[in-house]
Amino acid sequence: MKSWKKFLCFATACTLSVGMLAGCGDGSTTPSSAPNVDNQGGSAAAQGKMFNIALTAPFTGFDPLRTNDSASTYVNAQIYETLYRIDPVTGEYNPLLAAELPQFSEDGLSATVKLREGIKFQDGTDFNSEAVKYTFDLIKDPEFGSARASIAGSIESMECPDEHTIVFHLKYEDGVLTAKLAHTNSAIVSPTAQQNQDLMVQPCGTGPYKFVSSVSGANVVLTSNEEYWGGAPAIKDVTMTIIAEESTAIARMETGEADFMPKFSVDQRSRLESIPNVTTASSEAAQINYMLMRGGSSVNPIMAEEEFRTAIAKAIDKEGYVQYILEGFADPAQSVLGPKISGYTEEATTHNIAYDPEGAKAILDAHPGWADEEIVFLVATTPGYISMGEYFLANLKAAGFNNVKYESIDWSAWLTESKLDNRFDITLAAWSNVTRDGSELMEPNFHSVNGQIRIRYAGDDAATVDSYIDASKTTSDMDVRSENLLAVNALLQDKAYVQPIYHAVNLFCYNTAYTGVNLDAGGTFYLKDIGYAQ
C-alpha cells in the first residue's frame, strides 16, 4: 500500500506566522518546495491581488459560538481569536489573547488567566476580562444555543478582579480547561457587537481580518485588519467562494481564478499536480472518519440488537477503502480514539471489529429475516462522504444486507436532520479534533446529554458511556483520564455503535505565488500565516 507519509513535503524548520508575536509561537510549517515568505514586496503577480479560496461545503454562519462546521470555521478563524492556540507542531497550548498560561489553584477548582493589554475588537470595543466573561456566560446560557456548550460545562462562575485578569471558578477539577480555551467555539466576541447585530451574518472579533460582505450560500469577502494587535497580515483582500462541484473548483485553480483549496479529494490529486504554478501538499490531521450505528433507532427496532450492528461493522471494508479509493492517503482506523489524541494507547486498537464479510453473512443467516430488514443509510453530498457512502453501500449488499435504503442529503441539511431521532439507522460522520484532547472528542459526539448528539444507545449503555466521559474530564491525572477514555472507546466499538473508518490526512493545494500555506491538525488554516513568494 502506498504510504501517504511519502507525500508529506514539509520542511523540519518552522516558519513564524506573518506578524505573529514571538511569545505566541505559531510554529507552522511550509512545504519544502515552497518559496520563502516575502511580506514586504512579494510576487509581482500576486501582490495586491484578491486572494481567492475555493470551498466545496457551505457556511452555516459567522458566529463562532453558534457554528461548528468546517467552512464556517475557515471564516471565523480569521476574524475571531481564542485565549490560547495549539501549536501545530508540538501540540502545546500557547497564549494568544491570553498573556500567559492559566494559573490553577492547589485544589484545581479555580484558574486565573492574565490577558493581553491594548487590544480592541474591530468595532472599537475594548478587549478585557468583562468581554471574556460575557462570552463564556453566553456559552453557558442554555437559551443562547451554543454549538459547544460543553466548553463551559465545568465553569461555576467567573470574576474579573481587574480589566486584564479573569478567574474561572470550577465545579470540578477540569483537566481539559486549557484545551477548551483554545477551541474555536470559545473565541471571544465583542459584547457591543453581539448585542447590536447578528454575528451570524455580520461578524466582529479581534482577529487579523474584518468582514466586508457575504452572499448567503455563495461567498464571503474579508479584508485585513490594519490595526490588528499582532501586525497587519500580508494578504489584504480575501474571498471565500462556495463551489459545490469539486471539479469546477479545480478548474478555477487551473485558470488562476482560485488560489487555494483547503480540501480536495485524493482522486483529484493527479489533476492538480499537473497544473503549473499549483502546489499540492498534505499535513497530519487529528480527524476521525467513522460510521455511526444507532442502537436506539426509532426508524428500525432491529438496530437495538448488538449482533445486528456487529454484522454491519463486519461488512465494512475500511482497509480497502483507504487503499483503493484514498490511494493510501490516510490510515485505516482501528479505534475511535486516534494516535494523535491525548488518552490514546495501543490498547484502544484491541477492540477493533475487523472486516469479515463471511462473518457478517453468518450472523444474518443465523437470524431469519435479518437480511431483509430495512436499514436507512443517510449520507451527506460532500465529495468525501459520497465516495464512502457508495463504497460501503456495495460492502453491505455484498455481505447480504438486501434492503439498504440509501439516501443522500445536502451537507447543511445533514447537520440538522442527522440530529433528529427518526432520521436514520446508520450514517457517516467525521470529527476534526482542534484541541487533540480525548474528552473533547468523546463528550461532544458520544455523551448522551450533549445538545448535538447524533448517536442513540440501547439499554443502559448511555449511562455507562456518560460516566466514563465525565470521569475523563474531571481530573488532571492523565492516567485516570486515559483509563476512562479507553473505556468509552471499548464500549463504542465492542457494542458496535461506531465503526471507525480512517484517520484522515489534510490534502490541500495553493498557487505557488504564495507561501506559508498550511492546515493545522484540526484542519484549520490561518490567513495571517500566508505571505508572498519571492
Side-chain angles (χ1 to χ4, degrees), residues 250-271:
I250 293 172
R252 295 197 183 184
M253 293 295 298
E254 289 174 326
T255 62
E257 295 172 271
D259 299 299
F260 174 37
M261 284 183 66
K263 187 174 185 179
F264 67 82
S265 301
V266 69
D267 59 351
Q268 300 292 338
R269 181 173 57 90
S270 296
R271 178 182 174 187

Side-chain angles (χ1 to χ4, degrees), residues 6 9 30 40 68 89 93 141 153 189 209 277 289 303 308 312 315 323 337 350 357 370 374 429:
K6 294 178 181 178
C9 53
T30 58
Q40 303 301 319
N68 196 34
V89 177
Y93 296 100
D141 183 358
V189 301
Y209 284 87
N277 302 319
N289 288 259
M303 291 296 294
F308 185 79
I312 295 174
Q323 181 176 358
L337 195 65
T350 63
W370 276 19
E374 181 180 271

Side-chain angles (χ1 to χ4, degrees), residues 82-120:
T82 50
L83 295 179
Y84 299 95
R85 179 177 167 186
I86 191 169
D87 188 300
V89 177
T90 67
E92 297 177 349
Y93 296 100
N94 295 323
L96 189 54
L97 289 177
E100 58 187 43
L101 291 173
Q103 298 297 311
F104 289 90
S105 61
E106 188 172 344
D107 62 5
L109 295 180
S110 70
T112 300
V113 176
K114 295 289 186 181
L115 307 175
R116 291 190 188 275
E117 301 182 19
I119 297 176
K120 289 184 179 292

Side-chain angles (χ1 to χ4, degrees), residues 229-450:
W229 63 271
I235 306 299
K236 180 174 175 57
D237 297 308
V238 179
T239 297
M240 300 189 196
T241 303
I242 305 301
I243 308 171
E245 178 57 51
E246 187 176 37
S247 63
T248 302
I250 293 172
R252 295 197 183 184
M253 293 295 298
E254 289 174 326
T255 62
E257 295 172 271
D259 299 299
F260 174 37
M261 284 183 66
K263 187 174 185 179
F264 67 82
S265 301
V266 69
D267 59 351
Q268 300 292 338
R269 181 173 57 90
S270 296
R271 178 182 174 187
L272 284 162
E273 287 180 339
S274 70
I275 304 173
N277 302 319
V278 168
T279 294
T280 56
S282 65
S283 64
E284 295 185 338
Q287 176 180 312
I288 176 72
N289 288 259
Y290 59 92
M291 175 175 284
L292 186 64
M293 296 168 282
R294 277 185 164 173
S297 172
S298 62
V299 179
N300 191 347
I302 196 67
M303 291 296 294
E305 296 286 345
E306 180 182 326
E307 199 171 8
F308 185 79
R309 300 193 304 273
T310 299
I312 295 174
K314 285 177 178 286
I316 302 304
D317 181 15
K318 52 193 172 186
E319 288 82 4
Y321 182 78
V322 168
Q323 181 176 358
Y324 299 114
I325 305 301
L326 297 184
E327 301 178 26
F329 281 80
D331 292 318
Q334 309 303 321
S335 60
V336 180
L337 195 65
K340 297 187 180 305
I341 308 302
S342 64
Y344 171 86
T345 72
E346 288 291 335
E347 179 189 330
T349 64
T350 63
H351 299 274
N352 177 51
I353 296 177
Y355 174 55
D356 180 10
E358 294 304 317
K361 288 178 183 177
I363 292 173
L364 297 179
D365 290 344
H367 297 84
W370 276 19
D372 297 316
E373 288 282 353
E374 181 180 271
I375 301 172
V376 178
F377 187 11
L378 190 67
V379 179
T381 56
T382 52
Y385 286 126
I386 290 173
S387 64
M388 274 195 287
E390 292 173 348
Y391 190 89
F392 298 137
L393 175 63
N395 284 170
L396 290 166
K397 290 181 177 179
F401 291 93
N402 300 323
N403 195 10
V404 182
K405 181 182 177 183
Y406 183 91
E407 184 176 349
S408 58
I409 185 172
D410 173 79
W411 170 245
S412 296
W414 183 91
L415 286 171
T416 301
E417 294 189 27
S418 61
K419 299 175 187 176
L420 301 179
D421 183 62
N422 62 348
R423 195 62 183 86
F424 70 88
D425 294 314
I426 62 176
T427 193
L428 298 169
W431 186 257
S432 294
N433 196 324
V434 299
T435 63
R436 305 190 198 180
D437 186 273
S439 298
E440 285 297 288
L441 161 68
M442 296 300 188
E443 182 171 24
N445 290 285
F446 307 119
H447 198 291
S448 68
V449 299
N450 188 276

Side-chain angles (χ1 to χ4, degrees), residues 33-47 234-235 279 510-517 530-534:
S33 59
N36 294 325
V37 175
D38 178 1
N39 295 329
Q40 303 301 319
S43 167
Q47 182 70 28
I235 306 299
T279 294
Y510 58 93
N511 186 324
T512 53
Y514 303 90
T515 191
V517 183
I530 301 174
Y532 296 106
Q534 291 180 342

Side-chain angles (χ1 to χ4, degrees), residues 212-232:
V212 175
S213 64
S214 178
V215 176
S216 179
N219 64 48
V220 62
V221 179
L222 308 178
T223 192
S224 62
N225 178 6
E226 297 301 310
E227 298 177 353
Y228 177 56
W229 63 271

